[in-house]
Amino acid sequence: MVSFNSYREKSFLKNPLKDFREDVQEVEYRQDPLTGEWTRLNIDRAKRPHQAPSKPIKITAKKDCFFCKKHIEDKTPKFSKSVVPEGRIKSGEFVLFPNLFPFAAHHAVGVLTEKHDASLSKITAKMWADALTGTISWFKKVQAFDSRMRFASIDMNYMMPAAASVIHPHMQATVDKFPTNQTNLIYRKSWEYLDATQSNFWGELCKEDNKRKIFNSRNISWHASFAPKAANEVIGILKGKSGFFDLSVKNIEELASGLSKVFCALEKLGVRSANMALIASPLNEDLSHFFNMHVVIISRPETKELYTADRGFMEVLHRESIVSYIPEDFAKRMKKVIPDA
Ligand SMILES: [Zn+2]
């Protein structure tokens, strides 16, 4: 049984927006059912006044963008010959090359589409499938070059509030000797769950998390997270799969189709900036008896000149997230706008 722990506290104040009448706001504390990390929910926070309101910035095409087709060949780096003899990996419109300023032993950037200012809904299932296929083929080449490099992930920063430095839609992939803090925590907690209950947390979550389920495809279950780390958090769990090398062509197509549907739906709900992380088992290791590969997607603030960031002291220094929405309501909103098969 997965535990969905929460409790509520009332916070009293005399509200100047209501003639200093006694007012009460409710804070809900929710615990991540796997890691035990706390998140705080207050929907009234979304209504709070901002001292420096500003209009969204219009994204315009930049003539000398080095991710655009015209410049990609002469302005992006190439992999060293010993890892990728052809220099870059190409699959449909997708082009993968090394990050010019890496923060991993193996750190690649992949341009998802030839269209410079494609919105999230314009990144098609085919583009995602090409990106996943191309990136997994790179993981294989990195492994062949250095088998100590076992911890891989596929991630995305879409637009500047999500920490992208380039507008042109792209994703990133890393391969390292050690897992990230979050991946390591998830492996450890998933193992502890198996040890304590003799069952796979991820399988149980797929079965029990009905209040927040958005949609199911054949082998992937998509949910709103019970205790999200940021706004509009969606998690897609690949049943019975733990690693990138376990994915068949059909699995990749199914994941790609799910990603494109989720981003379409988020865009319909007003999302213009997002992060994504695909968390997987070490390359060449099957952990599917206690861990399932999953993708986490969150939305970030809109691109405005003077915007309020969604990471403050509580998130960054106390590692506790505050969100201004109810995940169960968000799941219902997503269900209404998710495109059909
Ligand atoms: Zn471009």
Side-chain angles (χ1 to χ4, degrees), residues 65 67-68 116 168:
C65 166
F67 288 0
C68 275
H116 175 83
H168 198 127

Side-chain angles (χ1 to χ4, degrees), residues 187-201 289-290:
Y187 291 161
R188 187 159 53 81
K189 291 291 179 180
S190 301
W191 174 257
E192 285 172 12
Y193 190 92
L194 176 75
D195 198 37
T197 67
Q198 319 309 316
S199 49
N200 177 328
F201 168 83
H289 55 301
F290 71 93

